[in-house]
Amino acid sequence: MVGNVRFEFSHVCTLSQVLDVLSSAGKLDQDIVNRTKQFIQQNRFDVQNSSNASQKKKPQTYKERASTCTNPLVQQLYKIMNLKKSNLALSVDLQNSQQILQTVDKLGPHLCIVKTHVDIIEDFSPQFTTSLRDLAAKHNFLIFEDRKFGDIGKTVKSQYEGGIYKISSWADIVNAHPVPGDGVIKGLKEAATGTNKGCLLVAEMSSAGSLAKSDYTKGAIKMAEDHKDFVIGFICQSRLIDDYNFVHMTPGVKLSEGGDSLGQQYKTPEEAILKRGADVIIVGSGILATDDPVQAAIQYKEAGYKAYEESLKN
Ligand SMILES: O=c1ccn([C@@H]2O[C@H](COP(=O)(O)O)[C@@H](O)[C@H]2O)c(=O)[nH]1
């Protein structure tokens, strides 16, 4: 009240919208935007239900997630993570097939997922994928081909099942950019009919200046929810949805923060899991570019698992 005049205030835009405007104008770093939004999400005060406001959904163990999630591939992944006490995915970005297989054989006991970029292998042969599948069976991990499909449905279908790589015959998981619309998912899904395969949507990226943010990321979430039978989660930099049926996998992870000369941005396993809500951390050079990759993998596995245990206390 001012004098005898009563004023009523209501907001014209949300804090998230303000953050988006500042980010689009180049005034705020996307990383700060994502973290602030995540903070808001985690600390939301529900006015209508304020007595329950402090009751956050209880975090589930990997074992609990394996029994409550509905997608068989997601169940399998959480079972592996529980059994091997590992949320570590190795990005095996090497160009020689023997080197890849030897590395995977040594590091396999510590991994829940092996991520490949099959098109950087210089001596690719179908035998390589047979040997990789043998190692997946020997060490109990899933294979994720980081192909990032991004074309119309019929093209991605051919790229997934055909060509020299025949990705659908050996990869458990692939990923896709949501940019073409959900035809990209429908095309991949058709090629995977009747198999236990899954797709991750690239909802956010670790690289500086990524356009995958705000409404684009929201669109990716909607697409995932519309295709729950095949989309098993996201490549992302923050927790996007409070549903363990969608596995959040975060690349750009190293034991110390920083970046590379081509725009990659690193965060620690603790930051990725505890602050940003990742389920799986994806690590490449942090392990491969060391003198002792086995020791490095153990370090990442232990750091990732410790952060997961810590997250259960929240
Ligand atoms: O947003 C993204 C999506 C994918 N990647 C891939 O992950 C690895 C990261 O390797 P590092 O050596 O740990 O940087 C690489 O294969 C990328 O293609 C990503 O980094 N960011």
Side-chain angles (χ1 to χ4, degrees):
M1 296 281 278
V2 178
N4 58 0
V5 181
R6 179 184 155 88
F7 290 89
E8 280 196 4
F9 292 93
S10 64
H11 63 260
V12 288
C13 61
T14 64
L15 192 47
S16 294
Q17 286 166 329
V18 175
L19 290 168
D20 287 340
V21 170
L22 290 172
S23 155
S24 312
K27 304 283 181 203
L28 265 189
D29 188 52
Q30 188 58 36
D31 184 42
I32 295 179
V33 173
N34 288 345
R35 285 161 64 182
T36 312
K37 279 188 184 173
Q38 199 183 3
F39 179 82
I40 295 170
Q41 190 76 28
Q42 288 169 347
N43 294 281
R44 200 167 263 169
F45 181 71
D46 183 349
V47 181
Q48 267 160 10
N49 215 356
S50 56
S51 59
N52 292 332
S54 60
Q55 292 177 9
K56 248 176 69 184
K57 217 171 162 182
K58 195 177 174 300
Q60 283 187 341
T61 61
Y62 296 150
K63 200 172 172 193
E64 286 164 340
R65 297 181 208 182
S67 59
T68 54
C69 287
T70 48
N71 184 300
L73 188 61
V74 173
Q75 290 176 350
Q76 192 185 347
L77 176 58
Y78 283 130
K79 277 184 195 161
I80 294 173
M81 291 164 73
N82 176 52
L83 197 73
K84 296 175 82 173
K85 295 187 168 208
S86 172
N87 49 44
L88 174 61
L90 173 70
S91 185
V92 62
D93 297 339
L94 302 169
Q95 292 170 336
N96 176 278
S97 51
Q98 278 317 306
Q99 219 187 332
I100 294 176
L101 294 171
Q102 281 163 10
T103 304
V104 168
D105 200 12
K106 278 194 226 147
L107 274 56
H110 309 293
L111 311 171
C112 62
I113 290 176
V114 167
K115 182 178 86 64
T116 53
H117 276 301
V118 73
D119 54 0
I120 67 170
I121 301 174
E122 285 169 347
D123 57 345
F124 175 84
S125 71
Q127 181 54 48
F128 165 75
T129 55
T130 308
S131 304
L132 189 61
R133 281 245 56 98
D134 289 346
L135 289 176
K138 177 177 172 188
H139 295 299
N140 193 20
F141 58 74
L142 297 182
I143 302 175
F144 164 22
E145 164 54 27
D146 190 358
R147 173 63 180 74
K148 299 190 185 74
F149 294 100
D151 212 320
I152 60 167
K154 72 172 176 193
T155 303
V156 297
K157 187 177 173 200
S158 308
Q159 290 171 325
Y160 184 29
E161 64 190 358
I164 55 169
Y165 300 125
K166 302 197 178 6
I167 297 169
S168 63
S169 71
W170 52 270
D172 301 297
I173 303 169
V174 288
N175 55 357
H177 287 295
V179 68
D182 75 348
V184 68
I185 304 171
K186 289 177 182 163
L188 295 171
K189 212 193 300 194
E190 263 193 33
T193 307
T195 61
N196 188 24
K197 310 273 177 195
C199 175
L200 302 164
L201 288 180
V202 184
E204 294 172 325
M205 293 197 70
S206 59
S207 43
S210 165
L211 301 179
K213 58 185 178 183
S214 315
D215 283 348
Y216 184 86
T217 304
K218 280 187 208 143
I221 298 168
K222 164 89 174 50
M223 239 183 241
E225 287 180 312
D226 289 346
H227 294 275
K228 264 188 159 171
D229 53 336
F230 187 57
V231 176
I232 61 159
F234 304 98
I235 293 294
C236 55
Q237 295 293 307
S238 56
R239 187 118 206 129
L240 302 177
I241 178 167
D242 194 9
D243 180 347
Y244 291 121
N245 282 292
F246 295 110
V247 184
H248 291 60
M249 302 198 192
T250 296
V253 174
K254 258 198 183 151
L255 289 176
S256 52
E257 288 176 6
D260 70 10
S261 60
L262 297 175
Q264 176 67 300
Q265 304 176 116
Y266 291 109
K267 60 227 63 79
T268 62
E270 294 76 23
E271 160 95 24
I273 293 170
L274 285 171
K275 296 210 183 127
R276 294 167 181 249
D279 299 309
V280 170
I281 50 169
I282 298 175
V283 184
S285 47
I287 292 173
L288 298 178
T290 60
D291 293 338
D292 190 345
V294 175
Q295 213 37 53
I298 293 171
Q299 251 186 305
Y300 278 95
K301 176 182 74 168
E302 288 179 349
Y305 197 77
K306 195 169 160 219
Y308 151 72
E309 286 185 316
E310 196 61 33
S311 76
L312 294 176
K313 296 180 190 158
N314 291 332

